[in-house]
Each structure stands twice: as structure tokens, then as C-alpha cells.
Amino acid sequence: MAGIGFIGLGIMGKPMAGHLIKAGHTLYVHDVVRAPVAELQGQGAVVCKDSKEVAQNSEVVFLMLPDTPDVEQALFAPDGVASGIRAGSIVVDMSSISPIATRAFAEKLALAGVEMLDAPVSGGQVGAEGATLSIMVGGKPEVFEQIKPYLEKMGKNIVLIGGNGDGQVCKVANQIVVALTLEAVSEALVLASKAGTDVAKVREALLGGFAQSKILEVHGERMIKRAFQPGFRVRLHQKDLNLALQAGRELGVSLPNTAGTQQLFTAVAAEGGIDLDHSSLVKAIEKMANHAIGGEKGDR
Ligand code: NAD
């Protein structure tokens, strides 16, 4: 089997890389942090000193990095993927980053005869560990067909959205819906709680009707149980909403409620919640209500 590379072995990347090892691939891995690399080495991965060495050994290189500048560095720094990769190889970026930068990265790699797919995911740590991620792909159909068997080891709902960058556009749309639903669930539960109503019963009743959603189910429970750690960190959702607002500005699309929800994340971050799960958005609504879910009326 061909050598496969994986760069970025954090909360998401480590279990995703693990699935590729279990499928029998020789995996060449790199992360700037040592601990997850050592863990994957124990599972049979080959550790590389930099992204260039990963690319020198791989026909397909996966990236799962935090943000746009991290992907740019891993690809184009002097010790990056582009300096080691052979023509005919494929880069698959599974990070959630800027659609505009993604298109520029794909064009730059194409000059070296290298194809790129953007393949951001939804489903969180649970989806990464259970190989049930939703994967939104941008790139050429024939490249997608080549890479699909690998993606099937990491996810279930795998959709080719369009050309380079369109997977990232889809992910941005996903994050708008998730953020605004978190905000709606927060308002509903804080109102119910301050009214003195049993919020657990409210959630249970709403789950059977039109207000049902995965966010109400999973994150509504986290808000009620005050289980804000670990999860999808506020700092990552702030990054994603920045991408949405930036795209909106460039395209002339007003996103008023995305902007407002970003302000609520800023309030949570200002109180030290930047690494809490994004369901902690409820804390901003609680602050304005002077009431925390489960507390006495007027408590916070
Ligand atoms: P993370 O911070 O846990 O992991 C990122 C890893 O990349 C870290 O181990 C870091 O050391 C490494 N890294 C950073 N720069 C590097 C470089 N230049 N070279 C090599 N390694 C480098 O982040 P995560 O939670 O795994 O998220 C990764 C991406 O997936 C993000 O874009 C995020 O928005 C997206 N995402 C995350 C979740 C989630 O629930 N955590 C869900 C869906 C999508």
C-alpha cells in the first residue's frame, strides 16, 4: 500500500490517523507537539521530524491543523509539505480554514503537479473517535474518487460539494447554523429556568417536537448539567465565525445574527472560557439575565 502522511495529531487528528493505521496503511506522522506523536508511534506510525519528511514518504498527505496560518506554514514553510512532495501526489486538508486561502493553496500546489482537496469535518471528537464524521469535500471529482476510500475510514456522510474551497464554504455554513442554534437553545433554557420551570423537562418535551435538534439534545444537556469540558472549544468556533463574517463582507452578505453570536462568544472568552465547550455560550445569556440555569431566581 502507498505511504500515507498525517500532519496535526490533536483532538481530531490523532483518532483519525489511528483509523488509517488500523486499516493497514503505513502512516508517516508529524506534529509540533511530541505526546500524540509518541502515542501513534506505539500504534505503528513512522514519526517524521517535519512536514517535508512526511511528504517525501507519502503519496497522500492529510492535514488536521487549527487555523489558516498553520496550514500555510505546514504546506509552504521551508520544511513544509511543498518542499518534499512529488508531482502526482495529493494533499487533503481536513482542517476548518478560509475558503479563499484554500483556493490559493490549491492553485500553488497545482503548479508543482500536486492536487488538493479541502475536506473539513463535522461531528467533533466523538465523531473522530467513532469514525462517524460528516466530511464536506471540495476538489476535482476524479481526485475525490481516489481519496474516498481513505475518507470512509474516518467518516460516514461524505459529500463532494464542488471545486476547491467549496468544502470549506460548506463548513462555514455548518458553523453558522450550529452557533445560532446554540444561541437559541441558550435563550430558551435560561428563560425557562428563570421562570422557575424544570429545564430538564422543557428539553425533554422540546426534543419531541419541531424545536428538536442535535444541539438541543447534546448541548442542551451540557448547559443543564454544566458540563462544559472537554468539547469543541470556544476559540475554534470564534475562528469559524470570523471566517463566516469575512466571507460575508467580501461577498456582500450581511450576517447579523452570526455577528451577534460572535459577540456572545467574545463575552464568554473574556471571562476565561476560551477553552470551554461552545455550549458555554449560555453563560453570556445567563449573565444578561442575572440568572444561571438551575440557580435560584436572580442568581448567577
Ligand atoms: P487541536 O489544537 O487539538 O490539534 C491541532 C494539532 O495541530 C495540535 O496537536 C498542534 O500541535 C498541531 N499543529 C499546529 N500547527 C502545526 C504545524 N505547523 N505542523 C504540525 N503540527 C501542527 O485542534 P483540533 O480540535 O484537533 O481541530 C483541528 C481542526 O479541526 C480545526 O480546524 C478545527 O476547527 C476542526 N474541527 C475540530 C472539531 C473538534 O471538536 N475539536 C470538530 C470539527 C472540526
Side-chain angles (χ1 to χ4, degrees):
M1 269 193 232
I4 304 294
F6 210 112
I7 300 166
L9 307 163
I11 290 176
M12 300 294 284
K14 190 176 65 164
M16 290 161 71
H19 295 310
L20 294 173
I21 297 172
K22 276 189 218 106
H25 297 292
T26 305
L27 211 68
Y28 294 85
V29 299
H30 173 65
D31 194 295
V32 289
V33 172
R34 178 71 205 156
V37 176
E39 207 179 305
L40 282 174
Q41 193 172 24
Q43 296 172 31
V46 181
V47 177
C48 298
K49 66 175 186 304
D50 51 34
S51 299
K52 178 179 177 177
E53 193 179 322
V54 171
Q56 283 168 335
N57 288 287
S58 310
E59 289 176 19
V60 181
V61 179
F62 291 92
L63 308 175
M64 195 48 167
L65 300 166
D67 203 349
T68 310
D70 307 307
V71 173
E72 182 163 28
Q73 176 161 4
L75 288 177
F76 301 113
D79 59 356
V81 168
S83 61
I85 201 161
R86 289 181 297 271
S89 304
I90 300 170
V91 169
V92 185
D93 180 25
M94 303 191 75
S95 332
S96 306
I97 67 161
S98 158
I100 296 150
T102 292
R103 288 181 182 135
F105 296 163
E107 279 172 25
K108 211 164 156 185
L109 288 171
L111 295 175
V114 174
E115 291 290 347
M116 181 174 171
L117 294 179
D118 42 304
V121 308
S122 173
Q125 187 177 0
V126 174
E129 287 170 354
T132 56
L133 293 167
S134 282
I135 308 180
M136 307 152 234
V137 188
K140 290 183 187 153
E142 60 274 24
V143 181
F144 172 66
E145 287 308 323
Q146 253 177 287
I147 296 301
K148 203 172 168 196
Y150 301 108
L151 299 179
E152 283 168 346
K153 300 284 179 251
M154 299 182 265
K156 290 259 175 289
N157 182 30
I158 302 162
V159 182
L160 178 64
I161 308 293
N164 289 120
D166 287 339
Q168 297 293 358
V169 171
C170 185
K171 173 67 184 181
V172 166
N174 181 81
Q175 293 305 80
I176 292 173
V177 174
V178 171
L180 270 57
T181 311
L182 279 170
E183 203 275 337
V185 169
S186 298
E187 287 192 14
L189 294 184
V190 171
L191 179 75
S193 178
K194 196 165 182 182
T197 309
D198 183 333
V199 276
K201 293 245 167 62
V202 170
R203 172 181 164 275
E204 194 184 321
L206 263 54
L207 281 174
F210 259 29
Q212 196 280 339
S213 71
K214 197 81 182 164
I215 303 288
L216 176 64
E217 184 190 335
V218 176
H219 299 80
E221 185 176 36
R222 289 179 191 168
M223 291 173 194
I224 293 168
K225 292 190 172 163
R226 321 305 288 167
F228 298 128
Q229 226 162 358
F232 183 76
R233 282 155 288 158
V234 165
R235 74 164 76 237
L236 288 178
H237 215 142
Q238 287 182 298
K239 178 251 312 176
D240 292 339
L241 294 191
N242 274 343
L243 295 175
L245 293 168
Q246 190 188 348
R249 196 170 58 239
E250 283 171 28
L251 295 168
V253 179
S254 294
L255 303 170
N257 291 320
T258 302
T261 305
Q262 181 74 312
Q263 295 304 312
L264 298 175
F265 277 133
T266 301
V268 174
E271 293 217 325
I274 198 153
D275 285 318
L276 295 180
D277 179 65
H278 53 170
S279 56
S280 61
L281 181 78
V282 71
K283 286 167 173 270
I285 303 295
E286 289 174 337
K287 187 167 190 176
M288 290 187 280
N290 193 29
H291 172 83
I293 289 176
E296 296 297 315
K297 270 190 192 180
D299 253 17
R300 192 172 73 82

